[in-house]
Amino acid sequence: MTDHATPFDRPRPPSCDTALDEVAVSPDEPAERPGAAVTPDAVPAGVDTSVPHAARIWNFWLGGEDNYPVDRAVGEQTMRVLPEIVDIARHSRAFLERAVRYLVAEAGIRQFLDVGAGLPTVDNTHEVAQRVAPECRVVYVDNDPLVLAHAQELLTSTPEGMTGYVHADARDPEAILRAAAATLDLTRPVGVIMLGVLPFVGDDAEARSIVTRLLDAVPEGSHLAITHSTSAVTGDRVIEAVRQWNAVAPAPYHLRTPGQMAGFFDGLTLLDPGIVSCPRWRPDLISLHGLPEMDEFCALGRK
């Protein structure tokens, strides 16, 4: 591992046994922290604290504080069925760090479009990229009002680089690209990051169309990084966890096989080691006990 903080240094959630350009909305005092009372002024505009939200549940699994009781309830319910979900979240985040580091240090990428960025946490895309090359430019995209409220945390940058935030839905690539062009030069290679986004698009044709339309707008030398949940490892347990999630969460979640994931890379050169479980993609460190297999797969491809 590198010597800076990683997602694995974050505190873990409680045990499951316990029941745009560089201008963005300035966040108020952070949303309700674990154990604190929710007050109307602590809730950013547009955030419904009565309905669970994927970004906030993911934040809970990563040990973050930007979540509400309803999110923690769903997160703990998932943990009861699939205890390894916390490690899945952390290994997915660690893949982001390794992939971005590779793209900057070895592939020469200096621009990133991070679609479905989620809430700020340790080692956001711009932080990883700009540690290697301070001139990197990054645009984050998300449609969650809470992410919008915290966008200022995503908009920090080195003086040489730049960050931007686009409040938009992944299903509208053209709007994303129009707004991103204020920060990125789309005639030069871009690293397109789509971690955990495509499971929320159930129709395979629509999901592939989103990816195609984004990649059609960037030149050769651009790269695509994806993570996606499967049931290839844990089978019925992850299927049951998704069934329970879809019973309570407003945005349905869909599993795909590694073979279906390969369709997102049609026309791209898939980099070694191909489509693999997140811990197995170019690990920084191999444990004496080997690398775990988990139902979050990832891949990186070059246009």
Side-chain angles (χ1 to χ4, degrees):
M1 287 286 183
T2 52
D3 57 2
H4 55 270
T6 72
F8 295 92
D9 298 317
R10 298 295 298 273
R12 295 175 70 89
S15 161
C16 59
D17 295 329
T18 61
L20 317 206
D21 42 32
E22 291 195 312
V23 178
V25 174
S26 299
D28 295 324
E29 192 65 17
E32 185 247 350
R33 306 306 190 194
V38 179
T39 61
D41 346 343
V43 180
V47 174
D48 185 349
T49 62
S50 68
V51 177
H53 193 283
R56 304 194 310 249
I57 297 168
W58 196 259
N59 175 263
F60 168 68
W61 288 330
L62 287 171
E65 299 179 328
D66 296 308
N67 48 74
Y68 297 89
V70 67
D71 307 308
R72 296 193 286 278
V74 174
E76 289 174 357
Q77 173 181 303
T78 302
M79 290 162 66
R80 283 191 284 273
V81 179
L82 194 69
E84 58 267 48
I85 189 64
V86 172
D87 289 331
I88 285 174
R90 291 161 187 260
H91 277 290
S92 174
R93 193 73 189 180
F95 164 71
L96 169 69
E97 180 187 355
R98 297 196 303 277
V100 170
R101 192 166 7 112
Y102 165 82
L103 288 173
V104 179
E106 299 188 45
I109 298 295
R110 295 294 182 267
Q111 304 187 107
F112 292 87
L113 181 62
D114 190 337
V115 181
L119 289 158
T121 182
V122 175
D123 283 341
N124 299 296
T125 298
H126 74 282
E127 294 168 328
V128 177
Q130 291 178 351
R131 270 198 296 268
V132 182
E135 69 273 22
C136 285
R137 295 184 169 213
V138 176
V139 169
Y140 293 101
V141 181
D142 210 292
N143 67 346
D144 180 4
L146 189 58
V147 178
L148 174 63
H150 286 271
Q152 195 61 46
E153 295 175 52
L154 292 171
L155 294 177
T156 59
S157 175
T158 59
E160 303 92 332
M162 186 178 293
T163 59
Y165 179 78
V166 175
H167 189 68
D169 194 287
R171 290 179 172 85
D172 192 355
E174 287 73 27
I176 290 170
L177 292 162
R178 282 195 302 272
T183 303
L184 307 180
D185 178 357
L186 299 180
T187 68
R188 301 176 65 85
V190 176
V192 179
I193 310 292
M194 302 188 76
L195 304 195
V197 178
L198 295 170
F200 291 100
V201 183
D203 183 81
D204 287 348
E206 182 183 13
R208 290 180 66 169
S209 171
I210 290 168
V211 173
T212 299
R213 286 146 67 196
L214 288 172
L215 290 178
D216 280 350
V218 295
E220 288 189 10
S222 296
H223 288 67
L224 171 69
I226 284 178
T227 63
H228 203 297
S229 300
T230 80
S231 59
V233 178
T234 47
D236 289 345
R237 285 196 300 113
V238 73
I239 291 170
E240 175 60 18
V242 170
R243 187 194 68 77
Q244 291 191 19
W245 171 288
N246 289 343
V248 295
Y253 198 81
H254 305 271
L255 301 171
R256 287 186 173 92
T257 67
Q260 289 173 309
M261 280 183 67
F264 297 126
F265 293 91
D266 282 352
L268 305 183
T269 300
L270 203 56
L271 303 186
D272 289 337
I275 298 173
V276 294
S277 186
C278 283
R280 295 171 180 257
W281 196 90
R282 304 191 181 195
D284 290 325
L285 186 66
I286 298 178
S287 161
L288 292 175
H289 304 291
L291 294 166
E293 278 279 333
M294 51 183 52
D295 270 319
E296 190 73 8
F297 277 51
C298 64
L300 183 64
R302 181 181 65 248
K303 181 173 177 178

